[in-house]
């Protein structure tokens, strides 16, 4: 999911933390997702139905491959603590994590990136965040595999081998391709690009 940078909207007499501001935004706007990346607030409205439909469809091959239960879990909207700033965290749309994730809690409902095997984002309005800002953030966190369902450009991006603030391997895939994700996530998962991108588009009446 993508988001737009937001200036601090609150003016208190005493300085407040970004985490406090994020919590207040979520309290005032239920359903909004607030992340802190590189010391900036990213705020995303509630996802539309095609976004949610794509995510539901994506969970099926991960679960069918045995990645939910046992050594790993496939989850949605789990906070990932980032090394890019003192208060930084992201909330990926979908993750594959080690089953002992509860033992890796950091704070603010976010967990140590060491237990994340894959993160996945489905783009919304501000798709640049998923393809730029979050690429750097997830690479810095050393998340082994980052997948982006780019609904705007109709591509599925698979990024692997994080080094510094980027991924050494970044390959976009077009409809018609079948993409097998790296074995490092814990099982063989093959994604049908056309099927995933179709699910992320509004349904049309016949």
């Amino acid at each position: 999911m993508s988001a737009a940078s937001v200036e601090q909207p609150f003016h208190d007499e005493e300085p407040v933390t970004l985490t406090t501001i994020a919590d207040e935004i979520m309290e005032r706007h239920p359903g909004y997702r607030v992340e802190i990346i590189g010391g900036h607030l990213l705020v995303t409205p509630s996802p539309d139905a095609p976004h949610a439909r794509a995510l539901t469809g994506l969970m099926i091959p991960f679960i069918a491959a045995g990645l939910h239960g046992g050594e790993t879990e496939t989850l949605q909207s789990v906070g990932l603590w980032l090394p890019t700033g003192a208060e930084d965290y992201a909330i990926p749309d979908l993750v594959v994590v080690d089953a002992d994730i509860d033992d890796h809690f950091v704070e603010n409902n976010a967990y140590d990136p060491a237990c994340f095997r894959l993160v996945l984002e489905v783009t919304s309005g501000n798709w640049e965040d998923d393809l730029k800002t979050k690429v750097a953030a997830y690479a810095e966190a050393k998340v082994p595999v980052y997948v982006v369902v780019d609904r705007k450009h109709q591509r599925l991006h698979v990024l692997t081998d994080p080094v510094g603030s980027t991924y050494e391997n970044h390959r976009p895939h077009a409809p018609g391709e079948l993409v097998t994700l790296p074995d490092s996530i814990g099982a063989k998962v093959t994604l049908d690009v056309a099927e995933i991108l179709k699910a992320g588009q509004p349904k049309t009446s016949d």
Side-chain angles (χ1 to χ4, degrees), residues 3-194:
S5 296
V6 174
E7 298 296 328
Q8 294 190 10
F10 308 107
H11 303 283
D12 295 329
E13 293 182 1
E14 297 182 2
V16 295
T17 66
L18 287 173
T19 302
T20 299
I21 296 171
D23 291 342
E24 191 160 352
I25 291 173
M26 289 187 288
E27 183 177 342
R28 293 187 181 190
H29 303 281
Y32 276 59
R33 179 177 298 182
V34 184
E35 302 165 288
I36 303 173
I37 300 179
H40 297 282
L41 289 168
L42 301 180
V43 182
T44 309
S46 300
D48 58 15
H51 182 284
R53 190 178 299 121
L55 271 180
T56 299
L58 277 161
M59 290 194 73
I60 295 172
F62 287 98
I63 293 173
L67 290 172
H68 189 67
E71 295 184 356
T72 57
E73 293 184 314
T74 301
L75 307 171
Q76 293 188 27
S77 302
V78 174
L80 187 160
W81 196 256
L82 296 170
T84 51
E87 299 179 81
D88 282 12
Y89 68 91
I91 307 174
D93 288 321
L94 185 78
V95 300
V96 175
V97 295
D98 294 339
D100 65 349
I101 185 172
D102 295 299
D103 297 332
H104 297 277
F105 179 81
V106 180
E107 60 180 276
N108 198 32
N109 291 330
Y111 297 82
D112 190 323
C115 63
F116 287 74
R117 301 188 182 194
L118 171 145
V119 297
L120 183 149
E121 301 280 7
V122 177
T123 62
S124 294
N126 194 353
W127 49 270
E128 294 97 336
D129 284 324
D130 291 328
L131 291 174
K132 295 179 181 178
T133 305
K134 290 190 174 181
V135 169
Y138 293 147
E140 289 279 1
K142 301 189 184 307
V143 177
V145 182
Y146 176 31
V147 177
V148 184
V149 179
D150 183 358
R151 295 194 291 165
K152 179 176 177 62
H153 302 101
Q154 292 293 283
R155 292 290 184 269
L156 178 78
H157 298 261
V158 178
L159 297 85
T160 60
D161 303 314
V163 176
S165 59
T166 190
Y167 283 86
E168 284 195 336
N169 297 305
H170 177 178
R171 183 179 173 188
H173 299 272
E177 293 186 65
L178 296 176
V179 180
T180 300
L181 299 177
D183 292 341
S184 61
I185 66 174
K188 182 177 180 179
V189 175
T190 300
L191 303 178
D192 184 323
V193 178

